[in-house]
Amino acid sequence: MGDIDYQRLAFAYRRHADQDRAPAAPHPVVVVGAGPVGLTAAIDLAQQGIKVVLLDDDDRLSTGSRAICFAKRTLDIWDRLGLGETMTQKGVSWNVGRVFFRDQEVWQFDLLPESGHRRPAFINLQQYYAEGYLHDCASHHPNIDLRWKSKVADVTPHADHVTLAIDTPDGPYTLDTQWVVACDGSRSPIRKAIGQESRGRVFRDRFLIADVKMTADFPTERWFWFDPPFHPNQSVLLHRQPDNVWRIDFQLGWNADPVEAVKPENVMPRIRALLGADVDVTLEWVSVYTFACERMDAFRHGRILFAGDAAHRVSPFGARGANSGVQDADNLAWKLKLVLQGKAPATLLDSYASEREFAADENIRHSSRATDFITPKSDASRVLRNAVLNLAKRHVFARALVNSGRLSTPTAYLQSDLNTQDADRFSAARVAPGAAALDAPVTLPDGTAGWWLDVLGGRFVLAHFCGDRAPDAATWTQLQAACAHEVPLDVVLVFDNTSACAQAPSGATCRIDSNGLLRQRYDAENGTGYLIRPDHHIAARWRNLDARGVDAALARATGRKTTPNVMSATAAAVAL
């Protein structure tokens, strides 16, 4: 796949039968925007059996590298969709970042210091590759109807459906759908059509992105300079991408002329100052950007749900843009499926809005703080920042204050009303209700090595830690009773060793925690159970399972029990 030139592909417009007939029954879902977020949402829904119309106003994928940093959480989501390995094999994996002040390194950090994870903290991969692999999957899926050169010109919401006016090369037509997922970018025509806007803060600074092709011996790490000798009083970021392409970001200042800044005769001296005059380097792509941290007030408007840049935007420091958008899709797809199937009330989609609005606020907060540290706007703040950087060379406390971008991590929905708060004591705050499930190596009953997140798939899972003894008949009957729901729920038995697994009830799904990492990460004792959502967030956990407790937790996690949650002491401690 890596040999395909995704930037040059053009996809054919095809006239659809919908253009030649009166509106039929509404389509279940229309996703608008075939970027990383829209493609991910469409694939997720399609793989869960939902038919999707995917509209895009262009006939090409993105040009230039654009988003390049994809986080472990995003890779875990793409693993569930069958694409994580493709992305990782092509991408450049990295865990380590280094921070420099002027001509000295002040500290380095490891974003994934512990072993026993399938994916690295990040991969660097040009957005056109990510979109290309997603497109290859979407274009071959029978449940996805991908329509290029189809621009949404107007939107008319109704009580039980939405009517879209579509412009095409053959003229306009209308399309009815039960639900719209708007992934149509930061300028979102759908957002404007319904009279909504994003609010937030615009940062008065300019940055130059230069993608260059070269062979260099820089390690595969994230390097960030404050006030370097080769670009004084500004900042510079260096990242490696596949195909010997390197991303360099130069802070320019608000007064820089964006037209002049992108001219090769002005770009190359900056690059030469960093790399040296003798390095053989070719300019691949260049752009000047400003940015904002902003979001819509609400991500759900009736039957229209907003995701990705259409719903929220952040600065690029921390790689929280595309990654948070993919997490939007991950959060939404399973909820929309249950609503469409009549297995959950439409109010479940309010939890998509509340959880991802909380995530957007978290991302905006981190991005704003990073930007303020990177681009101080007063002499006093610059003096303070430089003092922190000098202290960071020798003092651990100061390193916590250095902020070259807090890198993207999964949001924990600790206050979500879908959570069943702990009734028992757990020390594993990382997997409190609302947090994302942690991965670990496991062994299948046939001895094959595997990963914990793989067994979770895209459904509700009740994980039961059995230790070195298979559940007795009464316990197994109770576990099966806990799964007797209209909403699919699968039991996975986790054993400490192969011999115990061999005694498991016939037909049971089993995994062996042969090195104990899973038990450690989940603070699991014999009898411990976890209810895990289809998007791999923890819904509930118990020291001892009972069918009624599972039934109540599943009802809450699917929006059928609506009493507000009160955050537990454990969750409150994590939130602080």
Side-chain angles (χ1 to χ4, degrees):
M1 287 185 182
D3 294 330
I4 298 175
D5 189 347
Y6 285 110
Q7 293 188 92
R8 294 183 180 276
L9 289 182
F11 304 105
Y13 160 78
R14 293 184 176 86
R15 187 177 181 87
H16 195 275
D18 284 341
Q19 296 168 250
D20 299 315
R21 63 190 179 203
H27 293 273
V29 181
V30 171
V31 176
V32 183
V37 179
L39 284 162
T40 298
I43 293 167
D44 202 348
L45 287 162
Q47 290 187 356
Q48 297 188 66
I50 303 300
K51 290 190 176 297
V52 180
V53 176
L54 178 56
L55 304 176
D56 196 273
D57 61 0
D58 202 357
D59 61 356
R60 294 179 181 273
L61 305 175
S62 64
T63 57
S65 297
R66 300 186 182 273
I68 65 166
C69 293
F70 295 103
K72 180 182 182 298
R73 174 66 178 139
T74 298
L75 297 175
D76 291 341
I77 293 167
W78 284 339
D79 271 326
R80 182 170 58 78
L81 303 182
L83 290 161
E85 184 65 19
T86 300
M87 302 286 189
T88 305
Q89 285 297 317
K90 181 61 181 178
V92 174
S93 299
W94 64 276
N95 296 326
V96 173
R98 296 179 188 269
V99 177
F100 301 85
F101 181 41
R102 296 181 178 141
D103 59 352
Q104 295 185 28
E105 180 179 332
V106 295
W107 76 300
Q108 63 172 285
F109 54 86
D110 190 338
L111 295 168
L112 195 65
E114 62 183 12
S115 61
H117 290 275
R118 180 180 190 175
R119 299 301 178 203
F122 280 87
I123 64 166
N124 288 348
L125 182 70
Q126 293 92 323
Q127 183 171 323
Y128 51 80
Y129 279 128
E131 288 184 7
Y133 300 149
L134 289 163
H135 168 267
D136 291 345
C137 177
S139 63
H140 291 94
H141 201 290
N143 285 339
I144 297 178
D145 178 0
L146 180 48
R147 305 184 191 181
W148 297 103
K149 303 296 282 186
S150 298
K151 180 180 180 179
V152 176
D154 200 8
V155 181
T156 305
H158 304 279
D160 59 353
H161 70 282
V162 179
T163 299
L164 301 176
I166 314 295
D167 284 344
T168 76
D170 285 337
Y173 72 104
T174 60
L175 188 68
D176 289 342
T177 179
Q178 295 180 56
W179 298 95
V180 173
V181 181
C183 308
D184 53 341
S186 60
R187 295 183 177 87
S188 183
I190 293 179
R191 187 179 67 220
K192 293 176 182 177
I194 64 170
Q196 296 297 312
E197 59 184 32
S198 286
R199 308 174 195 274
R201 176 182 173 191
V202 176
F203 290 86
R204 291 172 60 85
D205 213 327
R206 301 188 196 278
F207 288 80
L208 174 77
I209 295 179
D211 281 353
V212 301
K213 194 155 193 172
M214 65 177 181
T215 301
D217 58 1
F218 294 109
T220 304
E221 299 171 347
R222 180 186 192 263
W223 284 17
F224 194 100
W225 287 268
F226 292 94
D227 192 12
F230 56 83
H231 194 58
N233 301 316
Q234 306 287 9
S235 63
V236 178
L237 175 65
L238 177 69
H239 263 302
R240 181 185 172 191
Q241 304 175 63
D243 306 333
N244 290 321
V245 175
W246 295 74
R247 160 70 56 82
I248 311 173
D249 285 50
F250 294 96
Q251 183 186 358
L252 299 179
W254 181 246
N255 294 324
D257 184 335
V259 175
E260 290 295 316
V262 298
K263 292 180 178 177
E265 60 267 27
N266 295 323
V267 175
M268 291 308 296
R270 300 184 192 278
I271 294 171
R272 296 287 185 199
L274 166 61
L275 302 176
D278 298 330
V279 175
D280 184 13
V281 58
T282 303
L283 191 61
E284 291 270 302
W285 179 68
V286 63
S287 179
V288 169
Y289 65 92
T290 58
F291 50 83
C293 287
E294 60 187 17
R295 75 166 176 91
M296 299 178 66
D297 292 336
F299 293 178
R300 181 186 177 192
H301 290 266
R303 290 179 170 268
I304 304 173
L305 303 138
F306 289 85
D309 285 354
H312 49 79
R313 283 203 298 162
V314 293
S315 76
F317 304 113
R320 292 174 177 268
N323 287 296
S324 62
V326 171
Q327 290 178 54
D328 291 344
D330 179 55
N331 185 292
L332 175 58
W334 68 272
K335 296 174 180 178
L336 190 50
K337 179 198 77 169
L338 291 180
V339 171
L340 281 163
Q341 292 178 341
K343 296 178 180 178
T347 52
L348 178 61
L349 298 173
D350 292 335
S351 74
Y352 162 73
S354 61
E355 289 180 349
R356 294 312 298 167
E357 287 159 10
F358 175 81
D361 288 340
E362 178 180 85
N363 288 321
I364 288 170
R365 183 169 63 252
H366 282 299
S367 293
S368 298
R369 289 172 179 172
T371 305
D372 286 338
F373 191 87
I374 292 166
T375 63
K377 295 301 186 289
S378 70
D379 291 340
S381 59
R382 184 176 294 275
V383 168
L384 177 60
R385 186 203 68 180
N386 291 352
V388 168
L389 290 167
N390 276 317
L391 287 168
K393 288 184 282 188
R394 296 179 299 277
H395 301 286
V396 174
F397 82 89
R399 293 169 191 165
L401 303 175
V402 175
N403 196 337
S404 64
R406 297 284 186 257
L407 277 298
S408 177
T409 54
T411 296
Y413 313 128
L414 299 176
Q415 300 185 59
S416 173
D417 285 338
L418 302 191
N419 300 341
T420 296
Q421 299 297 347
D422 290 336
D424 304 316
R425 279 194 165 276
F426 284 86
S427 61
R430 293 168 65 193
V431 284
L438 298 176
D439 205 3
V442 293
T443 304
L444 279 66
D446 64 3
T448 304
W451 295 96
W452 174 242
L453 293 185
D454 277 350
V455 75
L456 302 182
R459 61 202 187 284
F460 277 96
V461 166
L462 183 62
H464 180 60
F465 287 82
C466 303
D468 59 1
R469 182 177 302 175
D472 57 31
T475 302
W476 180 239
T477 299
Q478 187 181 48
L479 288 170
Q480 289 181 306
C483 294
H485 295 277
E486 186 179 12
V487 176
L489 172 63
D490 294 344
V491 172
V492 177
L493 304 179
V494 182
F495 294 95
D496 288 350
N497 54 64
T498 304
S499 59
C501 180
Q503 305 304 313
S506 177
T509 300
C510 307
R511 291 296 182 270
I512 303 159
D513 181 27
S514 50
N515 61 14
L517 268 181
L518 197 64
R519 178 183 285 264
Q520 174 188 326
R521 288 176 180 165
Y522 286 78
D523 182 25
E525 302 170 356
N526 292 353
T528 293
Y530 276 79
L531 178 64
I532 304 174
R533 298 176 0 177
D535 59 359
H536 296 179
H537 280 260
I538 307 301
R541 58 183 179 176
W542 305 267
R543 285 300 181 196
N544 293 286
L545 290 176
D546 71 89
R548 286 179 299 177
V550 173
D551 185 68
L554 186 62
R556 179 178 287 279
T558 52
R560 292 175 289 134
K561 185 175 182 180
T562 57
T563 53
N565 248 330
V566 177
M567 191 164 55
S568 69
T570 300
V574 175
L576 293 174

